[in-house]
Amino acid sequence: MKNVLKANMYFLIIMLLQVFLPIHRIFNSFNITDDRVALLIAHVTIFIFPAIIYLIITKQSVKEVLRVNKLYFKDMLLIILIAFACQPIMTFFSLISQFIFDNQLGHFVTTIVNSPYIILLLLIAVLPAISEEVTIRGVVLYGYKDINIYLACIITGLLFGIMHLDPQQFLYAAVLGFILALVVRITNSIFAGSLIHFVINGTSITLQKLMTSFTPGV
């Protein structure tokens, strides 16, 4: 229970940072108006720095907590297939949520979709695949290491949905969070979750970029 308490406290701190950290005021103070730069700084500030501080304070093994273990090539291929299989599932749950809630993420992506493709890929696919995985499938999931695997995955999946602070994203993020946690627990490698996360987000932004490129006047 001590590990669970640590994980829950860590998650609470992350949520408090997201809710109360005056990050927009900080951006205005430094005249940061580019949404892409703001997104990068927000992820580093809210997810990466706290994880580093947590690991330093608790003096826990980075390799153990974050499950920094290699994936074998055959496992990577299977994981990529799982990622593509998850794509229509995520789309389905996202569409359900859109009947009730506004798609704020979609609006945000629209504002930056004309950016170079590599920039979009780094911000939408690579960045979350590092920062969010370190947070949820790294530090938080490790706190549930002694809990039944399915219960741990359900709880961290729900936390992943809550972490987005967006009702439209909650449902599909929670489902994806469960799948990611399960894959990470089974493979004992955070790279499994990161790879799925990257493929799903990368596919989504790639399709949106292609649609924008072939749509006249956009």
Side-chain angles (χ1 to χ4, degrees), residues 18 39 43 47 89-109 123-124 128 132 156-178 197 200-201 204:
Q18 288 198 87
L39 179 63
H43 271 258
F47 300 123
I89 298 174
M90 299 304 103
T91 302
F92 172 73
F93 284 112
S94 178
L95 289 173
I96 290 177
S97 298
Q98 285 185 48
F99 283 113
I100 306 173
F101 304 106
D102 188 36
N103 188 355
Q104 296 181 19
L105 177 62
H107 296 325
F108 171 77
V109 172
L123 288 175
I124 305 300
E132 295 178 5
T156 54
L158 291 172
L159 294 180
F160 187 56
I162 293 170
M163 188 186 74
H164 285 77
L165 293 177
D166 182 349
Q168 193 277 324
Q169 288 184 271
F170 172 78
L171 184 57
Y172 73 81
V175 173
L176 178 60
F178 170 80
H197 205 151
I200 290 176
N201 285 17
S204 178

Side-chain angles (χ1 to χ4, degrees), residues 82-144:
I82 292 173
F84 281 115
C86 286
Q87 193 74 50
I89 298 174
M90 299 304 103
T91 302
F92 172 73
F93 284 112
S94 178
L95 289 173
I96 290 177
S97 298
Q98 285 185 48
F99 283 113
I100 306 173
F101 304 106
D102 188 36
N103 188 355
Q104 296 181 19
L105 177 62
H107 296 325
F108 171 77
V109 172
T110 300
T111 66
I112 65 172
V113 74
N114 289 322
S115 304
Y117 175 65
I118 187 64
I119 298 297
L120 289 174
L121 202 61
L122 288 171
L123 288 175
I124 305 300
V126 176
L127 183 60
I130 297 173
S131 62
E132 295 178 5
E133 291 308 307
V134 164
T135 299
I136 300 296
R137 262 69 61 181
V139 176
V140 176
L141 185 60
Y142 178 77
Y144 286 83

Side-chain angles (χ1 to χ4, degrees), residues 54-100:
Y54 174 85
L55 290 169
I56 291 174
I57 292 176
T58 60
K59 298 180 180 179
Q60 296 183 90
S61 167
V62 174
K63 180 179 174 62
E64 183 180 353
V65 173
L66 300 186
R67 291 186 170 87
V68 185
N69 301 309
K70 69 178 182 178
L71 288 174
Y72 294 100
F73 182 72
K74 64 177 182 179
D75 293 331
M76 291 177 63
L77 292 178
L78 179 59
I79 287 167
I80 291 173
L81 288 176
I82 292 173
F84 281 115
C86 286
Q87 193 74 50
I89 298 174
M90 299 304 103
T91 302
F92 172 73
F93 284 112
S94 178
L95 289 173
I96 290 177
S97 298
Q98 285 185 48
F99 283 113
I100 306 173

Side-chain angles (χ1 to χ4, degrees), residues 145-217:
K145 63 186 178 72
D146 298 322
I147 304 298
N148 174 272
I149 182 172
Y150 296 106
L151 180 59
C153 293
I154 290 171
I155 294 174
T156 54
L158 291 172
L159 294 180
F160 187 56
I162 293 170
M163 188 186 74
H164 285 77
L165 293 177
D166 182 349
Q168 193 277 324
Q169 288 184 271
F170 172 78
L171 184 57
Y172 73 81
V175 173
L176 178 60
F178 170 80
I179 296 171
L180 291 173
L182 189 61
V183 171
V184 170
R185 280 284 296 262
I186 291 173
T187 62
N188 195 35
S189 174
I190 196 171
F191 297 124
S194 293
L195 183 55
I196 294 177
H197 205 151
F198 169 79
V199 172
I200 290 176
N201 285 17
T203 301
S204 178
I205 196 62
T206 299
L207 291 175
Q208 188 153 351
K209 184 67 172 177
L210 288 172
M211 289 173 61
T212 302
S213 299
F214 289 106
T215 301

Side-chain angles (χ1 to χ4, degrees), residues 2-20:
K2 185 178 180 181
N3 288 323
V4 172
L5 179 60
K6 283 184 180 179
N8 291 341
M9 288 299 296
Y10 178 80
F11 181 78
L12 177 60
I13 291 171
I14 295 298
M15 293 301 297
L16 291 175
L17 285 174
Q18 288 198 87
V19 174
F20 295 109

